[in-house]
Amino acid sequence: MERMDEVRIAERTRQLLAERGLRLKKSLGQHFLTDRRILDKMMEAAGLGPEAGVLEIGPGIGALTERLAVEAGQVVAVELDERLIPVLSSLFSDQPHVRIVQGDVMSLDLSRLLQDHLGDCRRISVVANLPYYVTTPILMRLLEEKLPLDRIVIMIQKEVAERLTASPGSKAYGSITVATRYYAETEWVTKVPAHVFVPRPQVDSAVIRLKIRQRPPVEVRDEALLFRVIRAAFGQRRKTLLNALSTGAVDGEGKETISRVLSETGIDPKRRGETLSLEEFALLSNRLHEVTRN
């Protein structure tokens, strides 16, 4: 029965696209969800309510938007594809608490957007099915700009979701894992098989939830330096920390200084970046900050 429901939604999606004369653009990574159970899990993870505001990125033809309109007090949906704006505007014409904005989320003034449309909400979340090709830039922008967000619930490529929720020492653990962990608690919600999308992508997806931290879990004297250390440590994964950080990527410091700092922080210079926790990266960057200022 559930499979039949999924087939019906997929057929209705294709019919709507045909009626509007719309062809999906590969360049925009357009894949539309047809499984209500996945939407249920996203809504549960988002934990919305009448006092919640939601920013949706890439609503497509509005399958997720429809659920958000029921679950949240205010919704603003940002769609890049101009062709889909009439579809969305028509679908939500009788729901004034849903606002459709045409634009690129990477260039819009997000702080102003949230203030204008969701400023009266007690808490604001991002809930979205992100295009694969731009997942990381969008996510890092949401985090780095320190927007007034409570949580982020996103459907993304399964491989990226595994990286974001990985543990130190695992193959999937990388710079994006550590950087994200600085801003948020990251949790796996559910796997999303490829067959529940129209058109079907070549890879599976997953839903993850990021609970935004009120303050970072580590005390850092120089955030920019912390992230330079992280990027340098993962820049060449086969290199030891000593060699990876001695390439001049960290404030131009040479091997002698890097070796001394690693020794002073109790971190084995033969370790590799993927074995360090966020706490160890913070310890290392703070000591580098002290050394380079003297």
Side-chain angles (χ1 to χ4, degrees), residues 42-43 54-59 64 68 78 125-131 138 142 152-156 206-208:
M42 292 184 75
M43 293 304 101
V54 176
L55 168 63
E56 183 187 7
I57 300 166
L64 175 57
L68 294 173
V78 177
S125 299
V126 172
V127 184
N129 174 13
L130 294 183
I138 290 177
L142 293 173
I152 298 172
V153 177
I154 48 175
M155 188 185 311
I156 56 180
V207 176
I208 63 169

